[in-house]
Amino acid sequence: MTSTAAEDRRRRVRWVRTRLRADVPAALLTAALALVTVFLAAAFPRVQDRGADAALRDYVGHRSLHTTSLQYTSRTRPADTAADLAALHDTLAARLGTALTLSPPGEAHGARALGQAPLNNPGYTRIVRSTAPTMDLLYLHGLADRVTLTDGTWPGPAAADGPLPIVLNRRAAETIGIRIGDTIDNGTDKSGAPRSTSVVGFYRVNDPQDPFWDDLGCPDRACLRLDGLGNNWWQTTAFTGADSLPALARWGAGAEDFWRLPVDPAALRADRLDHTRATVRSFLTGRDAKTLVAATGRTDLRTASFLPDTLDRADARYRAAMPLGTIGPAAVAGTAAVVLCLAAALTTDRRRAEIHLLRARGGSRGGVLLRLLGEGAVTVLPAAALGTALALVLLPTPRWGHAVTAALAATLLALLAFPARAALLWSGPRVRAGAGVRVPSRARLRTRPRTRTRPRSRSGAAGGPRRLVGELTVLAVTVAAVAEARRRGLGHPGAASDPLLIAAPLLIAVTVGLLLARLQPLLIGRLAALARRGRGLIGFLGLARAARGTTGRRRASALPLLALLIAVTATGFGATVLDTVDHSRLRAARLATGGDIAVTVPDFATLPASFTDAAADLPGVRGATAVRVEPRALFVGAGADYTKVIAVVAEPQAYAELARAAGTDTFDPAALTGTPGGPDTPVPALFSRDLAARLAAGPPTLHLPSGSVLRTTVAGTVTTTPALPDPGLPFVVVPAGPAAHRLPELAPPTAWLAAGDPDPEQVRTLLRERGLTRTTGIIDLIQADATAAGRATHGLPPGYAVRSSREIAADLADDPLQQAAGRLFRLAAVAAAGFALLAVLLTLLRAAPDRAAVLARLRTMGLRPRQGLALIVAEALPETLTATAGGGLAALAAVALLGPALDLSSLVGARVGHALAPEPLPVLLPAGGLALLIGLAVVLETLVAGRRRLTTELRAGEHP
């Protein structure tokens, strides 16, 4: 028994070896198809994982250390030493490091005095006579590694009743007027006892822009502070030494120890985001927080962090974008599955006689299938292993589970498709012995055949309902997926990812493909009947062969049509999404700008006419207007209803044109036409809808901060207006002419808005040359402080800004999350088009012998080579055009059906809602390109096949 089984295995192995050697090109094509399919199946999850990780790390990495850190504080004890703080830091870092990856360069610990200390020395600089400069006092571990001592010495231990020795930044000391050796009067402590500090040295910060200093006061200069009540003062940060910790605890209102432990953004992973959030929360308020209290022995150890909120926002962005980025790969998976099934079907058709011969010679079903399976294993498994390895190596990421699972699924489909299709050969009508044997005509007259085939009507009747049931099932699943997608939506923050919803565009394509598979023979047959009435035979012959199928069977396979249609649908749907994202991003940028370019100035300044006139003449400006924005106005209605509003004074005609260009609510400029009139004549104005609903009946009165009053009347209502992209408060738009006639103070503009495509740098240059208002006093100090802090942009003082829709759109697009989703869409479109082209090539290769034989026979009847090429094109063109048109319609249908369910905000970078709508051009371009590519492939294959000699084809016989 054992020897017999071993002999069978040896026979199967020899048969597989012989069979593969007999058809090496087919084996190589099978291996190549498996390699590409498995590689893509493993690559898409890896690409998605890499994009998700990059987006998460970029989002968290752009936050400050204060936001991404766990902050621990505890009351400073009189016995605390620098060694105690360092040891406790090591304990905290060791406990956190076991669960989270920390960033050592951003770690900081030390002690800080509670409250700010005044610098009351008479000779120190005061911006306002009544307000003295202030300073924060800290001990910072490792201070000498980040600053350079320029004068004096490092602070030593404090005397028992003497001043606390400190070091200050040299620039801050020069600004305030502090010198080395000064004893600074810091007022009194909480008990009323005087306190003081002694300046023993000056330092210079090595890198003032280092994020390390974000939450450590103002160590690199004297910072300007304003409280909005006219009290302005200088503030800086001073540092004391490690030996002065006991004195720091007694100094002033006490002190607290602090430890800052930042999480390394480069170690975050999107798939472990839930675990990371749970771990951080555990260290904040959970079991790990109690463990730290016990380990440090500090019962007052408090923990604070903004990291959980940051991770929550990052997770919401990822969950919103993930379904949108998965739609494309799902369509590619469907196309690849159809191509594998098509390859299996074509291989089965080509080897049908061989498989029947094996059965006729005594081979069992299981034995034949094992031979076919072994043949596939030799070609598919090595290629699949190579494809998986390439995806894992070329696209490194810590996660491999999804990629390997997808690769296994693709491998099983590539391995089992051919044996499964071959098994279907035995599920058709069985033929009794002798049925189909041809007998001489005399015998046929003398005897009646004892055997006959079973009625074909039974099998046909059984196959028809099965196919109909399958198609109705696909239709029902498609309707359910579309309805569920429209009910639940896709792309919303926090929305669950459902495979059925993601596959909705693919299901729509499959449904349309099945419908076209039923209609295509009827349509092409009708066209063939019409072509038969014409003079030429080329069109009729081509259409007739297309109606019967390229292999000459009565019913053509629906798989090539389905592959083409899914590819066109996927590319069309993806192109529509990307095109809509680009347009929505630009529209969002224009709404945020108030046009294509906007110039704003601070409250104390105005824009001179020399700037507005010159700016309107810049290249690219199509329309511009200067407006005045008064943010501190007040409306008093007839019923004494007080409402804070923002007043916009604009020229109606130019402002209306700008509103149309910016995409905000439009209005009729004639509605704002008013006469100068007297001070009691109401001025027509546009009101925001919420403001119009609040005001009582009667002409409302606009009160300005100067005390002036302007009576208005409601000429219309709008929701948005260009000058206020995000108003925050109700607003009113009044015409510049009548308003300035009554109140001249409303004439000078504070903003300039334009439509078109001007160069932002030219506008900034012009603003620096002609638009800056001369400032003095506190304004100069504000500008100097902003420049020192690195907040001045493009050489403009604080409050002066030039916003460009082009730059805002570029900033919105510079997001790894959006780029990863767009990259997946594009890769999916290319992969789907490649598989569609492969489906066409497989069909052409299968039909090539039959087509060549037909052409050879027609050549003997006088068919010219050019007519032969036209015949093949006429044969292949109907299916290509049908698939292209059907795919375009399916893509438009998918956009129309799923558009209300898709929220593209995560891909745009701004809140846009459901902006996806059917657009013909994004669908026609990829569909036409794919149709052209397929047509070129058909022509090329025909030209190559036409080079074979006529006699060779005629010797080949009727059966290829």
Side-chain angles (χ1 to χ4, degrees), residues 544-636:
R545 284 180 54 81
R548 298 180 65 230
T550 55
T551 58
R553 295 190 301 273
R554 291 291 181 184
R555 189 178 65 191
S557 174
L559 292 178
L561 173 67
L562 198 58
L564 288 174
L565 194 138
I566 293 176
V568 174
T569 303
T571 54
F573 185 83
T576 303
V577 170
L578 295 179
D579 183 74
T580 303
V581 165
D582 291 339
H583 284 83
S584 298
R585 187 180 290 127
L586 182 58
R587 183 177 183 274
R590 283 175 174 167
L591 288 174
T593 306
D596 289 306
I597 198 105
V599 176
T600 57
V601 299
D603 295 342
F604 59 83
T606 59
L607 286 173
S610 59
F611 167 78
T612 57
D613 294 341
D617 295 332
L618 287 176
V621 176
R622 292 196 302 267
T625 183
V627 300
R628 180 177 182 85
V629 179
E630 179 51 67
R632 296 186 300 272
L634 189 69
F635 248 121
V636 181

Side-chain angles (χ1 to χ4, degrees), residues 317-380:
R317 295 174 72 249
Y318 170 69
R319 292 183 182 275
M322 182 178 63
L324 300 176
T326 313
I327 290 176
V332 175
T335 311
V338 172
V339 170
L340 289 176
C341 294
L342 175 62
L346 296 178
T347 304
T348 304
D349 292 341
R350 180 171 53 87
R351 299 176 58 181
R352 181 186 299 266
E354 174 190 339
I355 296 173
H356 281 305
L357 181 61
L358 289 175
R359 289 281 288 132
R361 292 186 174 181
S364 63
R365 293 186 179 183
V368 174
L369 292 179
L370 284 178
R371 290 173 186 268
L372 299 180
L373 188 62
E375 179 183 339
V378 173
T379 56
V380 171

Side-chain angles (χ1 to χ4, degrees), residues 100-368:
L100 299 169
T101 302
L102 302 179
S103 178
E107 295 179 3
H109 72 272
R112 62 167 58 93
L114 298 177
Q116 296 179 350
L119 308 179
N120 292 327
N121 294 35
Y124 292 165
T125 303
R126 300 191 179 197
I127 303 174
V128 178
R129 185 178 298 274
S130 59
T131 307
T134 61
M135 75 174 184
D136 300 313
L137 188 56
L138 283 80
Y139 156 68
L140 183 63
H141 173 77
L143 176 67
D145 298 332
R146 296 183 178 270
V147 303
T148 300
L149 190 69
T150 59
D151 299 285
T153 61
W154 293 109
D161 295 327
L164 194 63
I166 61 173
V167 291
L168 280 170
N169 178 264
R170 183 179 184 85
R171 291 173 56 193
E174 293 173 351
T175 301
I176 300 176
I178 302 174
R179 296 181 297 274
I180 291 181
D182 282 2
T183 298
I184 302 177
D185 177 12
N186 298 123
T188 58
D189 59 15
K190 58 184 178 181
S191 64
R195 57 179 179 174
S196 60
T197 52
S198 175
V199 181
V200 298
F202 292 151
Y203 68 84
R204 171 178 51 82
V205 175
N206 297 337
D207 184 8
Q209 303 301 323
D210 190 346
F212 176 86
W213 302 105
D214 283 348
D215 58 342
L216 296 177
C218 190
D220 63 319
R221 69 187 192 282
C223 300
L224 182 66
R225 301 301 185 210
L226 305 95
D227 62 359
L229 302 176
N231 298 320
N232 311 315
W233 68 95
W234 295 112
Q235 179 187 346
T236 188
T237 299
F239 294 96
T240 187
D243 298 331
S244 299
L245 274 179
L248 184 65
R250 300 187 301 268
W251 193 80
E256 67 175 8
D257 302 331
F258 66 90
W259 297 266
R260 185 183 68 194
L261 300 169
V263 174
D264 186 7
L268 296 176
R269 289 170 47 180
D271 64 318
R272 297 179 57 85
L273 195 55
D274 292 338
H275 173 73
T276 303
R277 286 186 297 178
T279 302
V280 173
R281 288 192 171 96
S282 178
F283 278 106
L284 292 179
T285 58
R287 180 181 59 186
D288 290 321
K290 296 180 181 178
T291 303
L292 288 179
V293 171
T296 57
R298 300 212 174 198
T299 57
D300 64 338
L301 187 68
R302 298 178 299 275
T303 311
S305 179
F306 295 101
L307 186 58
D309 294 335
T310 303
L311 296 179
D312 288 341
R313 290 191 293 271
D315 185 46
R317 295 174 72 249
Y318 170 69
R319 292 183 182 275
M322 182 178 63
L324 300 176
T326 313
I327 290 176
V332 175
T335 311
V338 172
V339 170
L340 289 176
C341 294
L342 175 62
L346 296 178
T347 304
T348 304
D349 292 341
R350 180 171 53 87
R351 299 176 58 181
R352 181 186 299 266
E354 174 190 339
I355 296 173
H356 281 305
L357 181 61
L358 289 175
R359 289 281 288 132
R361 292 186 174 181
S364 63
R365 293 186 179 183
V368 174

